[in-house]
Amino acid sequence: IGTPQIETLTPELKPWTINVDVTTSEDWPEIKALNEAILATSYKRKAEYSEYIPKLIAFGRYEFYKDNLTLLDPEWYVGIGLRWTLFDGLSARNNARQIKLDQLMLENNRTQTIEMANIKLEKERLDQQKNILLIENANNQVALAADVLNLSTKEFQQGLITLNEHLAAITEYEKTCLDQIKAIAAQRASALELLISAGKLTVETIQ
């Protein structure tokens, strides 16, 4: 960006407004990943159990009988049978049990992650509320300091106060303006953390 483009920029210092629901942490990437892992292990466990269950198979064949001169007229035989390899079945059952344990561990991990995420989310929500109140207080302080400075300027022009007293009013006004900037910066930072905690940080969720 060149100097002309920079000069056209008019950034506005204002708080960030969150325009999405941030009451739950279910959209956390970590929680979504655990949900997908649990679902995958569930499918894998079902697949292993399907290998453990004996298979019902159908078969068919035709045979020639030479002794009764039916060589040119073969007969079809159809039937069903049960196929189950014992050792493969036991292996599949053991695999399914191990996958079940893995799934339980993932579910426990998800529960703990959700609890920690909700605690962090509540902390960020409280910080956001606090910083909004601090901005309101800072705005009031700036307005008050501006009134004092305006009065001080008039009094100084009329010779009613000294230069040092007028400079003190200017200094106080600048200090309140700086406190206001800090309060807004803190609010924007806490809004960012709140969106991260809710798993909803996108360009569209902050205005």
Side-chain angles (χ1 to χ4, degrees):
I1 300 177
T3 302
Q5 289 84 355
I6 294 177
E7 291 177 349
T8 60
L9 297 178
T10 56
E12 183 180 0
L13 182 64
K14 62 178 183 179
W16 274 345
T17 301
I18 298 177
N19 54 16
V20 293
D21 179 30
V22 289
T23 58
T24 177
S25 58
E26 290 293 331
D27 289 330
W28 241 31
E30 291 85 351
I31 296 175
K32 285 185 175 181
L34 286 170
N35 288 336
E36 292 297 327
I38 292 171
L39 184 61
T41 54
S42 178
Y43 286 140
K44 187 176 180 181
R45 181 165 172 254
K46 290 178 180 178
E48 289 293 342
Y49 268 124
S50 69
E51 292 299 321
Y52 171 67
I53 298 174
K55 303 294 190 304
L56 187 66
I57 60 174
F59 62 88
R61 65 178 180 176
Y62 65 87
E63 295 182 351
F64 295 100
Y65 291 90
K66 297 180 180 179
D67 55 349
N68 60 1
L69 303 179
T70 58
L71 182 61
L72 300 179
D73 187 21
E75 294 187 9
W76 278 94
Y77 290 85
V78 296
I80 59 174
L82 203 60
R83 182 179 65 190
W84 185 37
T85 304
L86 178 61
F87 294 106
D88 289 346
L90 293 177
S91 176
R93 184 183 64 177
N94 291 335
N95 290 338
R97 288 178 175 176
Q98 181 59 50
I99 293 171
K100 177 60 177 178
L101 292 176
D102 294 340
Q103 184 177 352
L104 290 174
M105 292 177 62
L106 287 170
E107 290 174 350
N108 183 58
N109 192 6
R110 179 181 61 181
T111 299
Q112 293 180 353
T113 302
I114 290 175
E115 290 176 355
M116 294 178 61
N118 286 335
I119 291 174
K120 187 176 186 301
L121 180 63
E122 183 61 21
K123 174 184 177 298
E124 301 300 343
R125 289 180 66 250
L126 293 175
D127 285 345
Q128 177 69 183
Q129 295 174 3
K130 178 194 70 175
N131 287 322
I132 291 175
L133 293 176
L134 289 176
I135 289 177
E136 294 178 359
N137 180 68
N139 292 340
N140 293 333
Q141 293 297 321
V142 168
L144 178 60
D147 291 340
V148 171
L149 178 58
N150 184 46
L151 178 61
S152 174
T153 299
K154 293 178 180 178
E155 290 179 338
F156 178 70
Q157 291 173 347
Q158 296 174 4
L160 299 178
I161 61 174
T162 65
L163 176 60
N164 287 337
E165 291 173 327
H166 182 52
L167 291 175
I170 295 175
T171 301
E172 181 61 24
Y173 174 74
E174 292 175 346
K175 178 180 179 299
T176 57
C177 288
L178 180 59
D179 290 340
Q180 182 188 47
I181 293 173
K182 291 180 179 179
I184 293 175
Q187 185 274 331
R188 289 161 69 104
S190 65
L192 185 67
E193 290 297 325
L194 180 56
L195 288 170
I196 293 174
S197 296
K200 295 183 178 180
L201 177 61
T202 64
V203 176
E204 293 76 16
T205 53
I206 290 185
Q207 293 183 351

